[in-house]
Amino acid sequence: MSSKISLTRYLVEKQRVQGHIPAQLRLLLEVVARACKGISHAVNKGALGGVLGSADSENVQGEVQKKLDIIANEVLIEANEWGGHLAAMASEEMEGIYVVPNRYPKGEYLLLFDPLDGSSNIDVNVSIGTIFSVLKKQGDDPNTIDPVNEADFLQKGCQQVAAGYCVYGPQTTLVLTVGDGVSMFTLDREQGSFVLTQEDVRIPEDTKEFAINMSNMRHWDEPVQRYINECLQGRDGERGKDFNMRWIASMVADVHRILSRGGIFMYPWDKREPHKPGKLRLMYEANPMAWLVEQAGGAASNGRERILDIQPKSLHERVSVILGSKNEVERVTRYHQA
Ligand code: AHM
Ligand code: MG
């Protein structure tokens, strides 16, 4: 790339030259990126900033919150509530939706996020991230008609208008789609801005790398057992090739690797908590990642249907997730239909 393109310029061009996004959405994405920059600085400081460790509280899912979960949630809310581009927000860390206070102007967008994904990695200095999804409030003018409520959020993933994540790893990288491919931006700390470092990201259709928490193997359903067993048999088995395995326990970091060099990621339903469809959350984890992966030529399924086609019934709904290189995801889906 001859001259550096900042995220701001990239978005302005998407709005002005290509007409792909409205001004309000451009503003929203810039604000989310600014918030991610703030979270990245906090993550970077670690123990020096007093941000490590538990917060002695639980979120709506009954999970113990880390200090950084709460800090990241606050950074995202404070950055986004006053700009006039949003009607409301929803987060993994908040039970109900957060309606933009009446003292601020309201917009037509809805923002969902997992403020700090991979929380178990915070204190051990392993990559973590922020995942976000943007929907448009359906129907009427948000300034005059019905107040926003949870039902406005319950839209299928295929209705997202923007989605992305920011991974806080050796580099801080923001990955974004507005429905015309996937672009990556690396944070230039000296300049304080995200710089475009990869456009038109593509996931290879085939792979020899899988990501799953193997310690749960005995709890999986038969189709997932079958797929992983075949991978483990390597060149001596059905697949005729050796597979490699990676599991970072931060979905953001695992998906980032898959967008960078291919692979398949799975967090399937398992028998530990049979009443839950999976561990990961549909609306602010699976949907944005599924759209990014599809936009990069991959596939995303719950084993039975395309993730982006699932009609959400509640904000914190969980889902089984299988995503990544297309041919592998289709194979696992076939095994579920057998
Ligand atoms: P979190 O949002 O509370 O951090 O939980 C989601 C994370 C994913 O990032 C990751 O894929 C998974 O949980 C790891 O779970 P496990 O520790 O069961 O392997
Ligand atoms: Mg998460």
Side-chain angles (χ1 to χ4, degrees), residues 137-210:
K137 186 173 182 299
Q138 300 297 306
D140 310 307
D141 177 352
N143 287 310
T144 52
I145 320 288
D146 305 336
V148 61
N149 57 48
E150 186 173 320
D152 291 303
F153 282 83
L154 304 181
Q155 301 180 34
K156 293 180 182 177
C158 56
Q159 289 174 274
Q160 293 172 102
V161 294
Y165 64 80
C166 188
V167 57
Y168 313 114
Q171 303 107 47
T172 288
T173 307
L174 184 90
V175 179
L176 179 68
T177 186
V178 291
D180 60 351
V182 177
S183 298
M184 294 188 179
F185 304 84
T186 305
L187 180 60
D188 180 334
R189 288 192 187 276
E190 279 90 62
Q191 299 296 323
S193 63
F194 281 101
V195 175
L196 180 64
T197 40
Q198 202 181 337
E199 267 189 297
D200 197 20
V201 173
R202 302 305 292 168
I203 300 175
E205 291 190 353
D206 294 298
T207 184
K208 294 202 277 189
E209 198 161 65
F210 66 87

Side-chain angles (χ1 to χ4, degrees), residues 59 63 69 92-93 114 116-120 131 212-213 215-216 247-254 265 267 272 279-281 285:
N59 66 13
E63 299 158 342
D69 287 322
E92 177 176 324
E93 304 305 334
D114 176 357
L116 222 286
D117 178 61
S119 303
S120 70
I131 311 173
I212 192 165
N213 185 337
S215 68
N216 298 326
W247 184 250
I248 303 175
S250 288
M251 188 195 199
V252 173
D254 278 313
F265 168 96
Y267 210 119
R272 287 172 302 167
K279 174 180 179 179
L280 300 176
R281 274 55 55 123
E285 292 179 322

Side-chain angles (χ1 to χ4, degrees), residues 30-95:
E30 284 210 61
V31 174
V32 169
R34 201 182 316 138
C36 289
K37 227 187 289 176
I39 298 168
S40 173
H41 291 312
V43 168
N44 238 240
K45 286 203 175 118
L48 299 176
V51 298
L52 302 185
S54 161
D56 296 326
S57 55
E58 280 189 0
N59 66 13
V60 59
Q61 349 249 344
E63 299 158 342
V64 175
Q65 290 176 304
K66 301 278 187 172
K67 285 184 194 160
L68 260 176
D69 287 322
I70 294 173
I71 293 168
N73 195 59
E74 282 169 3
V75 168
L76 279 156
I77 288 187
E78 281 169 18
N80 278 287
E81 66 179 352
W82 49 268
H85 49 282
L86 282 179
M89 294 178 252
S91 159
E92 177 176 324
E93 304 305 334
M94 300 186 297
E95 182 163 3

Side-chain angles (χ1 to χ4, degrees), residues 296-323:
S301 155
N302 67 356
R304 291 183 162 78
E305 67 179 315
R306 183 181 174 229
I307 284 180
L308 296 180
D309 286 337
I310 298 173
Q311 174 61 55
K313 293 180 199 67
S314 65
L315 205 53
H316 299 288
E317 177 171 339
R318 294 173 193 254
V319 67
S320 181
V321 176
I322 300 156
L323 58 76

